[in-house]
Amino acid sequence: WRDWSSDVCSSDLNSATTRAYAALNFNTSGYVLVGSNSTVTISNATTTLANNVNLIFSNAASNVAILGFRGGVLSGGTGSSVTFAGSTNYTIGLENFDISNTVSIDMSGTTSSGKVIGFAERGGSSAIRANVLNNSANYFMLGANSGNTLSMYGVVSGSGGISISSGNSGGSGVVNLYSANTYSGDTLINAGTSAGTKINIRINNALSTNSFVQFGSAASSGGNLDLYGNNQTIAGITSG
């Protein structure tokens, strides 16, 4: 970041705080944003990946929001990508943020299995336009806290599943699904059942037709599914 070495980057982003930048430009691959027990929020930055550059999100602690993007946009050149790594549950928090369709997202760096890793809207309305490839044994998470909205425009594909929640224990906001996803893993719906909680199906078969859908888990209740007049075919359904 700003031609920082990895050592300087690590020390500068090592405590719970908000950092405001006009721009973050990643011109080479190899940078890893690692979260610990504290949360760093990057505020109002245009984050850009150069052609064929890969940026990695990872974690050092479980069940935490390790990093936040407040305002701004993440975009990239041809072949640019973001890879999730790590072996525990963790969340990238978003606040009025946009992830462009010029980058792709890959879950291939995650290890272990059955973990919930991904994005949650914490304060407003954000959009993910990037396509996601999940061939891991973990769940790609889409979620929103109470009173907030996350809209997913990209396509989720691969053998892994998705979790519609806001962290591994649930959430209570609104998630919009605008593409016909093709992943073949399970769909976990742990969004909560309060009046303001909805998973909106904005196109036919936004949930993969290959997926087995589970409403709720030991940690959270299911969710309110609104088809918006669309059709939805799934492989099966159960209650957690």
Side-chain angles (χ1 to χ4, degrees):
W1 317 36
R2 302 183 301 171
D3 296 327
W4 287 345
S5 69
S6 58
D7 291 337
V8 177
C9 180
S10 176
S11 62
D12 192 72
L13 298 178
N14 198 32
S15 61
T17 187
T18 297
R19 304 280 180 173
Y21 303 102
L24 296 172
N25 298 314
F26 293 87
N27 294 318
T28 60
S29 297
Y31 285 98
V32 182
L33 304 188
V34 181
S36 60
N37 288 311
S38 59
T39 301
V40 174
T41 299
I42 299 170
S43 180
N44 298 320
T46 298
T47 303
T48 305
L49 311 183
N51 290 347
N52 300 312
V53 166
N54 175 248
L55 175 64
I56 298 173
F57 294 147
S58 190
N59 68 308
S62 182
N63 302 328
V64 294
I66 64 163
L67 184 70
F69 290 95
R70 177 183 297 153
V73 62
L74 169 64
S75 62
T78 302
S80 61
S81 59
V82 171
T83 298
F84 279 93
S87 59
T88 61
N89 303 301
Y90 67 93
T91 305
I92 305 296
L94 305 178
E95 298 179 34
N96 297 314
F97 193 73
D98 192 285
I99 301 177
S100 169
N101 61 4
T102 58
V103 300
S104 61
I105 299 171
D106 192 344
M107 293 282 287
S108 64
T110 61
T111 56
S112 190
S113 63
K115 305 303 181 183
V116 178
I117 300 168
F119 297 102
E121 175 59 37
R122 304 298 197 196
S125 180
S126 292
I128 301 173
R129 306 178 195 280
N131 292 331
V132 178
L133 177 63
N134 182 12
N135 281 324
S136 76
N138 297 303
Y139 295 93
F140 175 67
M141 182 183 70
L142 295 166
N145 284 5
S146 179
N148 303 305
T149 301
L150 180 64
S151 295
M152 180 66 186
Y153 293 90
V155 174
V156 183
S157 63
S159 59
I162 68 170
S163 176
I164 301 178
S165 59
S166 185
N168 68 307
S169 60
S172 54
V174 175
V175 174
N176 293 307
L177 302 176
Y178 283 96
S179 290
N181 295 290
T182 61
Y183 60 92
S184 57
D186 290 346
T187 300
L188 302 182
I189 297 181
N190 289 333
T193 56
S194 62
T197 302
K198 284 204 303 181
I199 300 99
N200 294 326
I201 304 298
R202 299 287 192 168
I203 191 173
N204 289 340
N205 296 319
L207 301 177
S208 175
T209 59
N210 302 312
S211 183
F212 197 94
V213 177
Q214 175 179 317
F215 279 85
S217 69
S220 178
S221 55
N224 304 310
L225 197 66
D226 192 333
L227 294 177
Y228 271 81
N230 294 301
N231 298 316
Q232 178 65 61
T233 300
I234 55 176
I237 191 169
T238 188
S239 173

